[in-house]
Amino acid sequence: MDEETDLEGLLQRLTQELLARSRYMAVAESCTGGWIAKLITDFPGSSDYFDRGFVTYSNQSKQDMLDVSATTLATHGAVSAEVVCEMVTGVLAHSSADIAVAVSGIAGPGGGSEQKPVGTVYIAWGDGLDAPTSQCYLFSGDREAVRRQAVVAAIQGVTERISL
């Protein structure tokens, strides 16, 4: 099974899980630049389970659109568990969704540091009932590979959380 088939299967499973549970989702994307929203809306009828996507690439957009705290950004940086959790909370507050995912990372080729090297991506998921949960990943490869791995991890995480 090739990578495209795997991603398509993952998206079909997500769609089935959302529909079966009457769940409505939204996304907040930084380093993935809208890729998750694009893939989800590639499916006909996606308006039955997808509300909206926020592409908040800059720190200012995270503050303006998702109410991410300037203090959190200054203290932890845009690529952090704290910021993606605030992004999820903001998505849920500014949408009709009952489940959300947020992604922020360093896709490269530049921008990394010793503490947060290229490939560092934080992803958070939340449903508004419990505090958002986050995970840090260190993906390898070029910019495209890092972004693709982040998209897959985000979609897998949503699907797993809906299935619980």
Side-chain angles (χ1 to χ4, degrees):
M1 193 179 294
D2 67 16
E3 196 172 307
E4 286 304 315
T5 306
D6 288 346
L7 185 53
E8 185 174 321
L10 182 59
L11 287 161
Q12 288 175 345
R13 181 166 170 236
L14 172 62
T15 298
Q16 291 166 352
E17 294 291 340
L18 288 165
L19 289 170
R21 290 166 173 73
S22 300
R23 303 294 299 269
Y24 216 45
M25 75 172 285
V27 299
E29 301 182 67
S30 188
C31 68
T32 52
W35 197 347
I36 299 166
K38 184 260 189 236
L39 289 173
I40 291 169
T41 58
D42 278 349
F43 285 86
S46 56
S47 60
D48 291 339
Y49 52 85
F50 185 74
D51 181 48
R52 68 189 75 186
F54 297 86
V55 178
T56 54
Y57 208 74
S58 70
N59 286 353
Q60 191 63 52
S61 67
K62 289 173 181 64
Q63 293 173 69
D64 294 347
M65 297 174 73
L66 301 174
D67 303 323
V68 173
S69 161
T71 302
T72 303
L73 285 161
T75 304
H76 302 284
V79 180
S80 65
E82 293 80 4
V83 166
V84 291
C85 286
E86 286 190 23
M87 289 170 69
V88 163
T89 301
V91 168
L92 293 169
H94 295 284
S95 73
S96 299
D98 51 17
I99 191 162
V101 61
V103 181
S104 188
I106 305 164
S113 67
E114 190 173 314
Q115 296 80 21
K116 295 178 186 177
V118 169
T120 302
V121 176
Y122 282 86
I123 303 175
W125 302 269
D127 60 11
L129 301 174
D130 298 310
T133 59
S134 67
Q135 189 167 342
C136 179
Y137 297 86
L138 183 57
F139 297 124
S140 61
D142 63 11
R143 182 175 182 81
E144 183 82 1
V146 168
R147 294 175 75 218
R148 180 177 192 74
Q149 292 168 83
V151 166
V152 169
I155 293 169
Q156 284 175 330
V158 171
T159 305
E160 289 167 6
R161 281 155 181 80
I162 291 170
S163 301
L164 295 177

